Amino acid sequence: MTAAAAIDFASHGLSREEYERLKATLGREPTLVEIGVIGALWSEHCSYKSSKKWLRRLPSQAPWVICGPGENAGVVDIGDGQAAVFKMESHNHPSFIEPYQGAATGVGGILRDVFTMGARPIANMNALRFGDPAHPRTRHLVAGVVAGIGGYGNCVGVPTVGGECGFDPGYNENILVNAMTVGLADAARIFYSAAAGIGNAVVYVGSKTGRDGIHGATMASAEFDEATEEKRPTVQVGDPFTEKLLIEACLELMASDAIVAIQDMGAAGLTSSVFEMAAKGEVGIDLDLDRVPTREPGMSAYEIMLSESQERMLMVLRPERADAAAAIFAKWDLDFAVIGEVTGSGHLVLRHKGETVADLPVAALSAETPEYDRPIRATPPQAPLDAASLAGGEPLDKSLLRLISAPELASKRWIWEQYDHMVMADTIQRPGGDAAVVRVHGSGKALAISVDCTPRYCAADPEMGGAQALAEVWRNLTATGAKPLAFTDCLNFGNPERPEIMGAFAAAIEGLRRAALALDFPVVSGNVSLYNETQGRGIPPTPEIGGIGLIADWRRMAIIAPELGHILVVVGETRGHLGQSLYLAKCLGRAEGPPPPVDLAAERRHGDFVRAEIAAGRLRSCHDLSDGGILVGVAEMCLAGRTGAKVRLPATEIPAMAAFGEDQGRYLAALDRAEVTGFLARAKAAEVPAAEIGKFDGSDLTLEGFFSISLDAIRTAHEGWFPGYMAAP
Amino acid sequence: MKAAVIVFPGSNCDRDVKVALDAATGRPTSMIWHKETELPALDLIVLPGGFSYGDYLRAGAIAARSPVMRAVVAKAQSGTAVLAICNGFQVATEAGLLPGTLMRNRNQKFVCKDVHLKVETSQTAFTARYAAGQVIRLPIAHADGNYFADPETLAEIEAEGRVAFRYVTPDGAPDDDANPNGSAANIAGVFNREKTVLGLMPHPERLTEPALGGIDGRAMFDSLVAALS
């Protein structure tokens, strides 16, 4: 082997200390290929070296969890021998540099994580965070990201059923694109990545390897600077058509007993997949890189190992099944190549053009993976809002129209109409509700899916913000009648080497931990995206949460649309918390105060009550309360149900507090008149505050004593902002 | 009715239309791989939605030249009914089974939403269970649904009553606001001269159950079962 001549370890993402650690483990100078391989494996993106210490604190156990964090995706039992497989992942850095391909390949990557486990993908979701709408680059990024997500998901034929999209100047130079996939598998046939069986064939399938995406993982582990534009070649190019074929071919092969282990090639490509398979299986693997299908001649071993070309998988097959497997891939016109074998050496040995270019002791290097306990500094608490300073705002109807047409709350129809949200013909709640709902094909069950985070809460108080994000996802799922099962997360933060960032990260984890325990809602998969930072300015802390819940009988689910004549009941306590509220930000131009406190015991009690009412068939229209509070929630229900409403609000010090306060743990329920008395009595018995506050009626939204606005005016405001913004020159 | 769905690489509504057909016929629908060169005796062939061959080159262009399409065209010419939905419509125009072509939507974007359609005729095997002039609601999901044909062809289609569906407002007006993609004369679906081949951009298979938001697609499958059984 030839040691690397001039050692420029920094350009491979290694610090001097990490380089010395590698050298000591090997007992010699590493080769260029070895530096490249370890530089990628020890990158923040692949190794979680700054976050691992904290991630361990999150609860990941429950009787229904089949596979928690650590595999390609999480797996939960949904009964009848079936399992839901899901994960969310970030593709932030590439999407900022090249929005269409960055977002598209983000979808491709998360789909592969899910079908690698043996699941057929049945739904995609996404969470998007863009900069200030007025920032010159924002419109271009929105257009490109949305087209990229649609371009990939639509072609693959997996419905994109919902998500969220927010805007904040804090994302001007670092947008967030988090994509989530949910799949359906046979609970007894989940596929894992641990290689096994000395002598078994290591097989490469899918697209050929090209020179795209080299250094993608190390790019995603560094801040942006003036030279970011030059990183365009590190963004991969997606081919959703090949992905569709790969899904079908893999699922066809998975129906046999040919596969021992399987791993997709994601960040750091072949490097990461082969190393992970060997490490998990505690075996060695020999690879002959000359046998890797390449797109162009003359690729070096370094390039082959670090390429992030898309739509590729690595498998360990039973040798006697290799021919049958090859025939399946030939049927789907995909490359299939035996490129190596499982060995008992415990080493990853790479050969290229007759030379050994790497010989890495797998277990020793895994054990040496850096783990940092970075210094943390707590986010200072916010002073409480002075209620007196809130008096004398504009009329409430003006504020309602302002909020419902604000970028945060305006209809996202412009986005989701570009996503095929109906393919597979099982989408029974389309985008725009509290959670998307897709049926478990051919059964009476359905899965509810929701993604959420409120970054302005997290910035003010990361611990409360983390708890709130989880509680809101749980509440969204509950509002459809689903029993929340588990969540996945994308923890998007700035540079972890800065103590205030690491402090916010640790606090957010603590909030998530408390909420997950209280709500019996474990984490089963996720991803950490750090260094979302440009020239020393980080994004607001954004622990994006994706949750799934099970609806046992989809004929008994709740939707947000009420019926004419329904009585409106608010569940939960309205105190009128306006700190860090959207009202404060949009109508008073202030970002102040602590975020609304989350009383997790109350959250659980209220949610369990609402879910039981839905399951009993007594409640068919329900909406969770969050951004914008009661008036915005009622307006959204009116729009969905095409009916007006007459509402009276509980008395608070200042009317805006009741109208727009963002107190947690609340739902709006729309009930048949005959159900109201029983509902309120059962709520009381369950120690759940509930009060009748109005009726759905007519074609205006009327707030008694304040205003009456036509539903048309509300709809125009709500639907108008996004298309108007995107059409502006 | 014996029905089969042709499966191209990249088809992705093949299962959805099979589910709708199975429900309508009460028997399993066969799935036929694009590499087949011969077809069994059939009453109905479905070219499903999706992205055959990734829409590379032009939507439908490569699929139209795949081995199975020679057999499909031969069957169609001998009178077997063909239902071509979305990408299937694009394939059918590329294969010469239907006039015109589907261009990129005029706003250049993929669009997925429910649209209203006017049923232009009930005198066909595909539409007998609808009333002529009825306004129905079906979803569309496409980037290339902008129907185009030269003026002579359009005049001929209109004269021969071969427009199957037109994009309309909920009140039935075929105006520009109701046109989701720029299609000529708001055309959403057309027949061949014999009215044995129907191509349409909307997806009838996606609205065949109340749980999915409507059942306006079901009548098309029921029409076919009644006519072809």
Side-chain angles (χ1 to χ4, degrees):
Chain A
M1 284 193 294
T2 320
I7 298 146
D8 179 16
F9 44 82
S11 75
H12 302 271
L14 289 174
S15 68
R16 167 161 296 280
E17 190 231 321
E18 289 167 349
Y19 173 75
E20 293 299 338
R21 188 192 283 239
L22 167 61
K23 208 165 92 174
T25 313
L26 295 178
R28 58 177 166 78
E29 292 286 347
T31 67
L32 176 67
V33 175
E34 288 171 337
I35 294 177
V37 165
I38 297 302
L41 285 175
W42 288 359
S43 69
E44 188 67 59
H45 189 80
C46 293
S47 73
Y48 298 89
K49 58 192 170 191
S50 301
S51 57
K52 237 187 301 188
K53 167 190 156 87
W54 301 100
L55 295 175
R56 283 192 201 103
R57 304 166 73 105
L58 290 176
S60 58
Q61 307 282 319
W64 54 88
V65 172
I66 295 175
C67 174
E71 278 290 338
N72 284 298
V75 185
V76 293
D77 194 334
I78 58 166
D80 310 309
Q82 293 177 304
V85 178
F86 67 103
K87 189 183 180 190
M88 180 157 59
E89 200 160 70
S90 59
H91 230 218
N92 305 335
H93 291 73
S95 300
F96 183 78
I97 297 173
E98 212 299 282
Y100 185 97
Q101 291 297 342
T105 54
V107 175
I110 196 63
L111 282 164
R112 281 193 297 287
D113 277 333
V114 165
F115 72 78
T116 301
M117 306 276 307
R120 175 171 288 281
I122 59 169
N124 283 331
M125 299 278 284
N126 55 76
L128 311 177
R129 301 277 166 195
F130 297 103
D132 186 344
H135 188 274
R137 197 161 178 162
T138 300
R139 199 176 277 108
H140 154 77
L141 290 168
V142 172
V145 165
V146 170
I149 290 172
Y152 207 99
N154 299 344
C155 179
V156 165
V158 176
T160 302
V161 292
E164 67 165 358
C165 171
F167 296 84
D168 186 288
Y171 304 102
N172 277 354
E173 306 292 334
N174 292 88
I175 62 168
L176 302 184
V177 174
N178 294 176
M180 174 174 173
T181 294
V182 181
L184 181 66
D186 182 341
R189 293 190 63 77
I190 303 296
F191 289 81
Y192 297 98
S193 58
I198 311 295
N200 277 347
V202 176
V203 173
Y204 170 116
V205 299
S207 287
K208 293 186 197 316
T209 296
R211 286 193 165 106
D212 51 332
I214 293 172
H215 283 171
T218 43
M219 171 187 76
S221 306
E223 292 179 29
F224 280 161
D225 54 30
E226 302 87 345
T228 295
E229 285 296 322
E230 294 164 19
K231 290 179 176 161
R232 205 176 292 271
T234 61
V235 178
Q236 313 86 326
V237 176
D239 176 2
F241 172 58
T242 299
E243 180 104 333
K244 166 70 174 164
L245 304 185
L246 197 56
I247 293 175
E248 299 304 331
C250 286
L251 292 177
E252 193 171 328
L253 181 59
M254 284 163 167
S256 76
D257 64 349
I259 297 176
V260 175
I262 180 165
Q263 171 77 37
D264 80 301
M265 293 190 221
L270 187 52
T271 286
S272 174
S273 54
V274 71
F275 200 89
E276 216 158 290
M277 291 181 88
K280 286 212 174 108
E282 299 179 351
V283 293
I285 288 179
D286 281 7
L287 288 190
D288 180 354
L289 299 184
D290 296 311
R291 293 204 225 158
V292 172
T294 53
R295 212 180 288 157
E296 46 197 316
M299 285 183 69
S300 68
Y302 183 94
E303 289 171 325
I304 292 171
M305 289 306 292
L306 272 302
S307 162
E308 289 190 9
S309 288
Q310 300 288 291
E311 295 92 24
R312 303 178 300 159
M313 307 282 259
L314 199 62
M315 308 188 295
V316 174
L317 294 183
R318 290 183 215 293
E320 69 277 15
R321 293 280 185 273
D323 287 348
I328 290 173
F329 283 85
K331 171 186 162 188
W332 291 98
D333 295 319
L334 292 167
D335 268 301
F336 177 99
V338 177
I339 62 167
E341 69 174 280
V342 179
T343 71
S345 71
H347 282 235
L348 174 62
V349 179
L350 307 176
R351 294 193 182 82
H352 190 233
K353 299 196 183 306
E355 202 192 335
T356 299
V357 293
D359 184 348
L360 298 167
V362 174
L365 284 165
S366 280
E368 285 299 317
T369 304
E371 183 175 336
Y372 297 128
D373 184 4
R374 298 199 186 273
I376 60 173
R377 188 182 309 142
T379 305
Q382 298 277 329
L385 266 189
D386 170 18
S389 76
L390 302 172
E394 64 188 352
L396 293 183
D397 52 341
K398 277 217 167 55
S399 293
L400 174 61
L401 290 173
R402 190 187 298 282
L403 287 172
I404 201 122
S405 62
E408 290 76 3
L409 289 179
S411 166
K412 303 302 183 299
R413 183 183 302 276
W414 186 90
I415 295 180
W416 51 257
E417 281 192 349
Q418 294 186 59
Y419 303 151
D420 190 337
H421 47 271
M422 295 183 237
V423 64
M424 299 185 93
D426 278 312
T427 305
I428 54 173
Q429 283 205 35
R430 299 182 189 180
D434 283 332
V437 180
V438 293
R439 292 186 299 197
V440 174
H441 189 69
S443 82
K445 294 180 294 188
L447 294 175
I449 314 164
S450 176
V451 296
D452 241 301
C453 178
T454 310
R456 59 181 194 278
Y457 295 171
C458 298
D461 179 345
E463 183 178 335
M464 197 58 87
Q468 191 277 338
L470 201 68
E472 187 171 342
V473 166
W474 190 87
R475 203 183 309 141
N476 280 330
L477 299 173
T478 295
T480 68
K483 160 100 177 70
L485 292 177
F487 75 93
T488 180
D489 54 24
C490 258
L491 305 173
N492 308 278
F493 288 78
N495 182 345
E497 295 158 42
R498 291 204 287 136
E500 62 273 28
I501 303 282
M502 210 54 222
F505 183 88
I509 292 269
E510 176 57 18
L512 291 175
R513 189 188 69 82
R514 285 198 299 109
L517 288 172
L519 301 174
D520 214 1
F521 193 39
V523 65
V524 293
S525 59
N527 137 278
V528 178
S529 174
L530 301 174
Y531 297 97
N532 292 289
E533 185 147 335
T534 299
Q535 294 176 21
R537 285 196 51 202
I539 58 163
T542 316
E544 201 67 58
I545 305 299
I548 71 160
L550 179 65
I551 298 174
D553 177 359
W554 52 257
R555 289 165 302 177
R556 285 190 176 178
M557 70 172 177
I559 57 176
I560 81 163
E563 285 166 28
L564 206 64
H566 268 162
I567 302 302
L568 176 63
V569 171
V570 62
V571 175
E573 196 178 357
T574 300
R575 294 181 175 190
H577 186 100
L578 283 178
Q580 299 301 335
S581 66
L582 209 56
Y583 171 80
L584 196 65
K586 295 290 161 187
C587 302
L588 300 177
R590 293 161 58 182
E592 293 167 34
V598 184
D599 176 343
L600 290 164
E603 186 78 52
R604 173 112 190 219
R605 208 164 52 241
H606 302 178
D608 288 350
F609 168 73
V610 165
R611 191 180 318 106
E613 291 295 311
I614 297 170
R618 293 188 288 254
L619 178 57
R620 293 189 307 277
S621 169
C622 183
H623 188 17
D624 104 290
L625 279 178
S626 54
D627 283 345
I630 290 181
L631 269 194
V632 165
V634 173
E636 287 169 344
M637 291 180 84
C638 287
L639 290 174
R642 296 172 185 280
T643 160
K646 287 188 180 59
V647 183
R648 58 192 170 276
L649 288 178
T652 43
E653 218 171 319
I654 288 162
M657 291 169 71
F660 304 116
E662 297 180 0
D663 308 280
Q664 298 293 296
R666 295 186 302 161
Y667 300 81
L668 291 175
L671 294 155
D672 286 337
R673 167 49 76 202
E675 294 286 355
V676 175
T677 311
F679 184 88
L680 295 177
R682 286 187 298 275
K684 191 169 184 195
E687 294 176 50
V688 173
E692 183 180 330
I693 59 164
K695 183 179 180 183
F696 289 98
D697 197 11
S699 57
D700 296 332
L701 173 55
T702 304
L703 180 62
E704 281 179 20
F706 289 95
F707 67 77
S708 189
I709 325 178
S710 78
L711 195 55
D712 285 344
I714 296 173
R715 191 180 302 281
T716 302
H718 185 56
E719 293 288 347
W721 183 80
F722 220 114
Y725 171 65
M726 293 308 293
Chain B
M1 180 178 76
K2 229 177 142 215
V5 178
I6 307 294
V7 183
F8 300 103
S11 293
N12 64 29
C13 303
D14 43 336
R15 187 192 74 178
D16 304 354
V17 74
K18 175 181 164 55
V19 168
L21 282 165
D22 288 355
T25 61
R27 55 193 282 184
T29 303
S30 45
M31 309 297 274
I32 294 179
W33 186 235
H34 69 114
K35 288 179 185 171
E36 298 295 331
T37 52
E38 283 176 38
L39 295 173
L42 291 168
D43 303 308
L44 174 71
I45 298 168
V46 178
L47 302 177
F51 285 72
S52 58
Y53 295 92
D55 274 0
Y56 294 139
L57 187 57
R58 270 193 322 275
I62 302 177
R65 286 149 187 84
S66 68
V68 77
M69 279 307 291
R70 272 192 286 275
V72 170
V73 170
K75 286 272 189 194
Q77 282 166 348
S78 65
T80 303
V82 176
L83 172 61
I85 303 168
C86 196
N87 186 230
F89 187 13
Q90 295 158 345
V91 174
T93 57
E94 286 283 343
L97 285 174
L98 291 169
T101 190
L102 283 314
M103 303 194 303
R104 182 54 48 121
N105 296 347
R106 67 178 158 187
N107 71 359
Q108 303 293 312
K109 289 201 286 282
F110 188 96
V111 59
C112 176
K113 63 177 184 182
D114 286 356
V115 294
H116 289 93
L117 302 168
K118 186 170 163 201
V119 181
E120 294 286 318
T121 169
S122 62
Q123 304 298 307
T124 76
F126 302 89
T127 56
R129 294 284 174 104
Y130 297 109
Q134 184 184 346
V135 175
I136 62 171
R137 182 172 53 88
L138 289 179
I140 53 169
H142 60 247
D144 301 282
N146 180 356
Y147 186 76
F148 175 85
D150 59 59
E152 297 75 33
T153 307
L154 279 178
E156 185 184 313
I157 295 170
E158 297 278 9
E160 293 175 1
R162 289 163 60 191
V163 175
F165 300 100
R166 247 184 263 273
Y167 301 108
V168 293
T169 63
D171 314 327
D175 64 20
D176 198 53
D177 287 344
N179 189 336
N181 51 29
S183 289
N186 282 36
I187 291 173
V190 294
F191 295 110
N192 65 345
R193 191 161 281 132
E194 296 75 23
K195 301 202 172 76
T196 52
V197 177
L198 167 64
L200 77 168
M201 289 313 296
H203 287 270
E205 77 280 12
R206 292 189 183 184
L207 279 188
T208 58
E209 293 178 66
L212 296 174
I215 56 165
D216 282 355
R218 198 190 277 171
M220 187 179 298
F221 299 101
D222 291 343
S223 299
L224 286 163
V225 171
L228 302 176
S229 295

